[in-house]
């Protein structure tokens, strides 16, 4: 085997190995990015459920307070018209 053929074989083998490793690295980084997206989505869903539970609790408390307390409008309860508009 000549020296040129040995160098060609070594060069192409090195290029093939480098290609395989670069593709493998790319796949691993894509997999990690996709997993991070799943983790982020799960966290967002957890926060959304937490906020929804807080909202439901606040609505329940509002209902209970409205049963116990009387609520008046700030404008004096005149039906929403302008106060003092005499003509």
């Amino acid at each position: 085997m000549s020296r040129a053929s040995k160098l060609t074989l070594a060069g192409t083998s090195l290029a093939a190995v480098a290609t395989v490793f670069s593709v493998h690295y790319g796949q691993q980084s894509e997999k990690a990015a996709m997993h991070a997206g799943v983790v982020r989505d799960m966290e967002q869903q957890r926060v959304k459920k937490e906020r929804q539970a807080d909202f439901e609790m606040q609505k329940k408390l509002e209902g209970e307070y409205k049963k116990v307390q009387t609520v008046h409008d700030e404008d004096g309860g005149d039906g929403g018209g302008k106060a003092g508009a005499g003509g």
Side-chain angles (χ1 to χ4, degrees):
M1 206 192 246
S2 70
R3 180 172 224 188
S5 62
K6 288 180 184 178
L7 288 175
T8 303
L9 178 62
T12 55
S13 298
L14 184 62
V17 169
T19 302
V20 168
F21 279 120
S22 67
V23 168
H24 178 70
Y25 176 75
Q27 287 177 341
Q28 291 297 324
S29 62
E30 284 181 8
K31 183 179 177 182
M34 289 173 58
H35 180 69
V38 169
V39 170
R40 184 181 62 242
D41 288 347
M42 289 174 63
E43 177 65 18
Q44 287 176 347
Q45 288 177 357
R46 183 191 65 79
V47 169
K48 185 177 178 180
K49 285 180 183 178
E50 221 173 73
R51 288 181 179 162
Q52 185 65 30
D54 287 344
F55 176 75
E56 294 295 330
M57 184 176 59
Q58 289 295 324
K59 287 292 268 187
K60 183 179 176 184
L61 286 173
E62 180 184 10
E64 290 177 13
Y65 290 148
K66 282 185 176 180
K67 287 179 187 175
V68 176
Q69 300 173 356
T70 57
V71 180
H72 299 287
D73 292 335
E74 288 187 22
D75 62 357
D78 61 352
K82 292 183 180 178

